[in-house]
Amino acid sequence: MTAVATEETGVGTRALIFALIALACGHMLSTLLRTIPAVSLDLMAADFRVNPQALASLTSVYHFAFAAAQIPVGAAMDRFGVRPVSLSLLAGTVVGATASGFATGPESFAFGQLLLGVATSGMLMCPMTLAAKQLSAARFGLWSGAILSIGNIGMLLSSSPLAFVVDHYGWRAGFWISGLAGILVALAVFALVPNQPAEHKDDSSPLSQMIEVLRLGFSRPLRGLIALALVSLATSLVLRGLWGGPWLMEIKGLSRVEAGNQLGAFTIAMIVGPLCIGIVDRRLGRRRELVAGAHLVAAFLLALMALGAPHYAVSQLLGVSVMPPQYDLVLFVLIGLATSAQPLLFGMSRQLVDAQVAGKALAAVNLAFFLGAALMQSTTGAVAALAGLPAVLLFMAAALLIGTLIFLAYTSPSTSSPRMS
């Protein structure tokens, strides 16, 4: 009702746009912070006197904390409103970034990552919640895409610009600059986001809400979506945020800035990809097949990238010692486009459940996305230590393949079960 009234009268439209942009900048800061290790993992590991693979596994603390905080933060927004929760999270982000920047060893760095995981867990939900309350369904669809695109700019900042900062001022500067940015975003939120009364839609405890979301996630209708969600976002985040940089620098011999340029192209593909997939989805009208096909293509492309390493199949087949970096650049862009089918899982979840549990279904998929990222990050650290970086890419390709096959099995029209209510 509020959204309709706002759009019909035009009152507050400009203020709402500025508020959404301010909150979306918080999401941009979140994506920047979670991808800093991609271009600085080697220097951080040297400072802490640990091997990069062990530190890579340690950075999964961020994703575990991020996933665990999703539902409590969502409940807090219902109880207290978007503005106070956003300001609290931004304050925590500043503290976490500062703690990570001043870390002296693996333990203190893990503590900083824990703080950042909790503090940034609601940076996407804050603008999404405000938009959902203020806009019609059609306008919300437009703004949800815009919010995601603004957020992914953070990954652009953590490519070449961050590589330049790390080369000239050290890896700690990335966290200190992020902390300063957190203060600026908090000031913008304080000035631009309205202090609306909270809506007490669900007064149950966060624990009971978590149990209900987990029950729904394990239910027969959503099981296939959850299986794919566990590996889908994890693959793109872990490749972009952790292993992409070491792969290009250690295996392909690129400098930090050159690697950052390639990761920047990967990020641009991740920004424009959802828009392209959305257009294809509307024209094709076969969402299940599109989601499965895109993820199978992504698995194949990851395997091709791995097999381009020295003495692997593609390199040997083409008679070269190692495939050139341009080969990886093309694959990064194509992987970014293929994995952009992830948001369609949200749309499928809403189709498979009744309206009264749609919100919890979305929360289950969102939780699977980030829990999967945490599991993938910690697991690939062990894989890298045991078998090297090509094995990491092959492992992620296999995970995507298995997740997609489970998705196809559980979403098959011949085996589909009644909608959840």
Side-chain angles (χ1 to χ4, degrees):
M1 299 291 287
T2 304
V4 175
T6 299
E7 289 184 352
E8 286 179 351
T9 61
V11 175
T13 300
R14 182 178 298 178
L16 177 61
I17 290 173
F18 284 132
L20 290 173
I21 291 174
L23 291 169
C25 286
H27 178 45
M28 179 172 63
L29 181 61
S30 170
T31 61
L32 166 63
L33 282 162
R34 77 165 66 108
T35 51
I36 286 178
V39 293
S40 56
L41 187 68
D42 56 334
L43 298 178
M44 294 162 62
D47 265 9
F48 297 154
R49 295 180 176 83
V50 297
N51 64 62
Q53 292 82 6
L55 187 60
S57 295
L58 192 63
T59 59
S60 64
V61 170
Y62 177 101
H63 293 290
F64 278 116
F66 192 105
Q70 289 287 312
I71 295 172
V73 168
M77 276 190 282
D78 275 342
R79 293 171 187 267
F80 305 112
V82 171
R83 185 173 184 262
V85 171
S86 177
L87 290 172
S88 299
L89 293 176
L90 285 164
T93 300
V94 172
V95 174
T98 304
S100 296
F102 281 104
T104 57
E107 297 81 7
S108 54
F109 181 72
F111 177 69
Q113 291 292 287
L114 177 67
L115 291 177
L116 284 174
V118 173
T120 60
S121 63
M123 294 302 188
L124 176 58
M125 286 191 289
C126 284
M128 289 292 193
T129 300
L130 182 63
K133 289 180 179 180
Q134 296 294 315
L135 299 173
S136 66
R139 299 262 299 171
F140 174 72
L142 171 67
W143 268 99
S144 61
I147 289 165
L148 289 171
S149 294
I150 293 171
N152 282 340
I153 293 173
M155 286 191 282
L156 275 180
L157 295 175
S158 68
S159 55
S160 302
L162 178 65
F164 176 85
V165 169
V166 170
D167 268 345
H168 288 78
Y169 305 104
W171 66 267
R172 298 177 187 274
F175 287 104
W176 295 333
I177 292 172
S178 298
L180 178 60
I183 295 173
L184 296 176
V185 174
L187 291 173
V189 169
F190 183 82
L192 299 172
V193 177
N195 191 17
Q196 297 175 322
E199 298 178 14
H200 301 277
K201 293 182 178 179
D202 189 349
D203 287 328
S204 60
S205 69
L207 178 60
S208 65
Q209 292 177 39
M210 176 71 81
I211 292 172
E212 175 62 18
V213 168
L214 293 176
R215 183 192 70 81
L216 191 59
F218 282 112
S219 66
R220 181 67 173 75
L222 293 188
R223 210 169 291 165
L225 274 67
I226 296 300
L228 186 53
L230 283 169
V231 296
S232 175
L233 184 66
T235 299
S236 55
L237 282 186
V238 172
L239 181 62
R240 171 60 187 85
L242 184 62
W243 295 117
W247 172 264
L248 292 170
M249 290 186 285
E250 295 175 19
I251 304 298
K252 298 306 174 81
L254 297 186
S255 70
R256 198 176 308 279
V257 172
E258 288 171 336
N261 290 337
Q262 288 214 16
L263 294 178
F266 183 23
T267 305
I268 292 173
M270 293 171 65
I271 292 173
V272 303
L275 300 175
C276 298
I277 290 287
I279 293 171
V280 174
D281 176 50
R282 286 193 296 272
R283 293 185 177 178
L284 192 63
R286 301 180 67 87
R287 182 169 290 176
R288 174 178 176 268
E289 290 80 3
L290 178 58
V291 169
H295 284 88
L296 288 175
V297 168
F300 177 68
L301 295 170
L302 274 167
L304 283 181
M305 183 178 289
L307 297 177
H311 312 301
Y312 275 71
V314 172
S315 297
Q316 290 183 335
L317 183 65
L318 296 179
V320 296
S321 59
V322 61
M323 292 300 291
Q326 292 81 0
Y327 173 80
D328 300 271
L329 175 61
V330 172
L331 290 176
F332 270 126
V333 171
L334 293 176
I335 290 169
L337 294 174
T339 55
S340 294
Q342 296 152 358
L344 297 181
L345 292 174
F346 284 120
M348 290 189 70
S349 71
R350 296 186 69 175
Q351 294 172 336
L352 292 171
V353 301
D354 289 332
Q356 59 265 35
V357 293
K360 288 185 173 63
L362 293 175
V365 174
N366 201 38
L367 181 61
F369 275 141
F370 290 101
L371 179 60
L375 293 171
M376 182 78 78
Q377 191 146 325
S378 57
T379 305
T380 52
V383 173
L386 289 172
L389 293 181
V392 168
L393 300 184
L394 291 172
F395 175 85
M396 291 195 289
L400 270 183
L401 175 61
I402 294 170
T404 304
L405 294 177
I406 296 173
F407 167 82
L408 286 171
Y410 276 99
T411 58
S412 171
S414 61
T415 61
S416 58
S417 53
R419 288 161 63 92
M420 283 292 293
S421 59

